């Protein structure tokens, strides 16, 4: 492959739709307290209905709805106060025709009642007599015993990261542990004779500290993965192949931060081809065209450009969706975004996805430009704008979606 810069170039949309290695992380049980953002491996069902008993949603009086029909401020209904329901206790009194029972929010609906009238529409005109000034329909002010979840119903589905309300519903159902996919183990390999560890006090002329690996590790952790920094591999022939052979059996995803020169890309492609099957070498994206995707015996591998900005942009567009898929997620969770107007024209090329970094102030998106070797472009950005493949650019003043960095 010497001297061959790209082959089997694909669009980002093709990569997301077509590059789908079969590997998924194994399943493990985790306690509820550690389950936030984890992906259930199977639906979790309710053993019993929730909330489990008919309960009041308001402070007021449990009644037979029919006893309130026609009630108004000018012609109220009068009901006998039969007793009070205590919180956390089964009612000791039933509602009979012409009677009512005082109810706290969340209290168990007593027998004979089919509604709760809000206290705001009542008054105690004399001891033991309640005046009702507004009618209530059957079921008003009440939650049914199975209104949250029926017995056998799904509490949380498989394939969607658990959110805080999901944990609350699981806790309400008495679920204390959840079977989830393990966090994907993402091995990050840096390559290049010019790359030195971040701890290097005084890099020699031509050397650069490895910034990309640390940033990639942050992206991996933010998406729920477990980053593993596998160090720096020099450009010696065979060195990368040897490292790949070592790490593949222990990885769910391998990411190689490759050199930027044509020769370095060819060396990476050759090493990857010797341990797996290359799906594409070149994505129609700017920045980040020299990206490689491969399937190594079911374990996906991403070969990223050497320039930090390009590497991080591509990993955000392709690597993070792939990481979520490995952890059993049907689709990546939505990311925060906002609408803004472009401050200037943006040029693009048809057939290529352009990712443009922007700042956002008072509803205006200001593009940021700079060489792909400069991480400061990303650190100054509030988010990015996507110029889709069919477009040849965007006019200034166009309202666009800005995907925000968290």
């Amino acid at each position: 492959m010497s001297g061959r810069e790209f082959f089997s170039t694909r669009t980002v949309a093709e990569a997301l739709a077509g590059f789908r290695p079969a590997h998924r992380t194994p399943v493990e049980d985790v306690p509820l307290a550690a389950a936030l953002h984890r992906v259930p491996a199977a639906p979790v069902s309710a053993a019993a209905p929730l909330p489990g008993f008919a309960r009041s949603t308001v402070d007021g009086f449990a009644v037979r709805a029919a006893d309130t029909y026609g009630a108004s401020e000018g012609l109220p209904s009068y009901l006998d106060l039969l007793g009070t329901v205590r919180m956390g206790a089964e009612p000791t009194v039933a509602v009979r025709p012409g009677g009512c029972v005082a109810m706290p929010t969340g209290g168990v609906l007593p027998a004979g009642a089919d509604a709760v009238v809000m206290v705001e529409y009542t008054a105690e005109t004399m001891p033991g007599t309640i005046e009702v000034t507004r009618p209530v329909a059957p079921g008003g002010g009440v939650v049914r015993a199975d209104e949250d979840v029926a017995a056998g119903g799904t509490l949380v589905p498989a394939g969607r990261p658990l959110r805080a309300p999901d944990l609350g519903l699981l806790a309400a159902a008495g679920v204390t542990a959840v079977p989830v996919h393990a966090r994907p183990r993402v091995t990050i390999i840096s390559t290049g004779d010019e790359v030195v560890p971040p701890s290097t006090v005084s890099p020699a002329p031509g050397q650069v500290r490895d910034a990309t690996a640390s940033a990639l590790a942050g992206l991996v952790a933010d998406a729920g993965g477990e980053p593993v920094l596998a160090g720096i591999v020099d450009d010696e022939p065979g060195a990368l192949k040897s490292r790949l052979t070592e790490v593949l059996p222990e990885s769910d995803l391998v990411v190689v931060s490759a050199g930027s020169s044509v020769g370095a890309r060819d060396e990476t492609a050759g090493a990857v081809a010797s341990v797996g099957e290359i799906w594409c070498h070149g994505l129609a994206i700017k920045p980040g065209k020299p990206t490689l995707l491969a399937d190594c015996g079911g374990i996906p591998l991403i070969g990223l450009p050497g320039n930090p900005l390009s590497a991080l942009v591509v990993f955000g567009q392709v690597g993070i969706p792939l990481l979520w898929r490995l952890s059993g997620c049907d689709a990546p969770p939505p990311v925060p975004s906002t609408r803004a107007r472009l401050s200037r024209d943006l040029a693009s090329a048809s057939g290529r996805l352009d990712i443009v970094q922007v700042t956002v102030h008072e509803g205006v998106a200001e593009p940021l430009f700079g060489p792909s070797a400069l991480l400061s472009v990303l650190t100054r950005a509030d988010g990015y704008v996507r110029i889709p493949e069919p477009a040849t650019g965007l006019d200034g003043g166009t309202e666009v979606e800005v995907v925000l960095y968290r």
Side-chain angles (χ1 to χ4, degrees), residues 24-369:
R24 296 295 181 271
T25 59
V27 177
E28 60 185 13
D29 285 338
V30 298
L32 199 58
L36 185 65
H37 303 319
R38 302 297 294 273
V39 182
V44 180
S45 301
L50 286 177
F53 58 89
R55 60 194 296 181
S56 174
T57 62
V58 295
D59 290 334
F61 295 89
V63 298
R64 296 169 67 249
D67 289 338
T68 71
Y69 291 168
S72 66
E73 292 186 1
L75 188 62
S77 296
Y78 292 94
L79 303 175
D80 296 329
L81 182 59
L82 305 174
T84 300
V85 169
R86 295 175 53 203
M87 282 296 295
E90 187 175 357
T92 58
V93 62
V95 173
R96 56 176 169 75
C100 65
V101 172
M103 291 291 301
T105 300
V108 181
L109 190 71
D114 61 2
V116 176
V117 61
M118 294 177 64
V119 69
E120 288 88 344
Y121 307 128
T122 66
E124 190 170 5
T125 56
M126 63 185 70
T129 300
I130 300 300
E131 178 185 82
V132 179
T133 60
R134 182 175 294 190
V136 63
V142 175
V143 168
R144 300 190 312 272
D146 63 352
E147 192 163 338
D148 221 356
V149 183
T154 298
L155 293 166
V156 294
R160 192 199 74 189
L162 292 172
R163 300 172 296 195
D166 298 322
L167 303 187
L169 187 61
L170 291 168
V175 177
T176 58
V178 188
V180 299
H181 284 276
R183 298 184 186 278
R185 183 179 172 89
V186 182
T187 301
I188 300 169
I189 301 173
S190 302
T191 68
D193 291 335
E194 77 282 9
V195 183
V196 296
S199 59
T200 305
V201 176
S202 300
Q207 292 183 333
V208 293
R209 296 187 181 94
D210 186 4
T212 304
S214 296
L216 287 172
L219 290 178
V220 169
D222 192 50
E226 178 186 340
V228 179
L229 298 179
I232 300 167
V233 176
D234 59 32
D235 292 331
E236 180 183 350
L240 180 56
K241 176 184 177 180
S242 177
R243 184 64 57 86
L244 291 174
T245 303
E246 293 173 2
V247 303
L248 276 168
E250 303 172 350
S251 306
D252 297 303
L253 170 64
V254 175
V255 180
V256 178
S257 176
S260 297
S261 68
V262 173
R265 287 196 292 268
D266 286 342
E267 178 63 31
T268 299
V272 172
S274 68
V275 296
E277 180 179 352
I278 294 177
W279 188 82
C280 79
H281 191 185
L283 285 181
I285 183 174
K286 180 182 179 181
K289 184 179 180 182
T291 295
L292 178 151
L293 301 175
D295 187 330
C296 301
I299 304 300
L301 181 146
I302 305 177
L304 295 174
N307 283 324
L309 188 153
S310 299
L312 298 182
V313 166
V314 171
F315 191 78
Q317 299 300 307
V318 178
I320 289 179
L322 178 58
L323 191 153
W324 278 110
R325 193 176 304 127
L326 292 171
S327 63
C329 187
D330 296 331
V335 294
S337 64
T338 189
R339 304 292 295 182
R341 291 176 292 102
L342 280 176
S343 67
R344 51 164 292 174
D345 294 346
L346 289 178
S348 182
S350 179
R352 181 186 72 195
L353 174 66
D354 277 25
I355 305 296
V356 181
Q357 308 302 313
V358 298
T359 60
V360 181
H361 181 66
E362 296 183 347
V364 176
E366 179 68 37
L368 296 173
F369 299 104

Side-chain angles (χ1 to χ4, degrees), residues 10-20 279-280 283 293 318 325:
R10 306 290 183 93
T11 67
V12 171
E14 288 173 336
L16 294 175
F19 183 62
R20 293 178 172 268
W279 188 82
C280 79
L283 285 181
L293 301 175
V318 178
R325 193 176 304 127

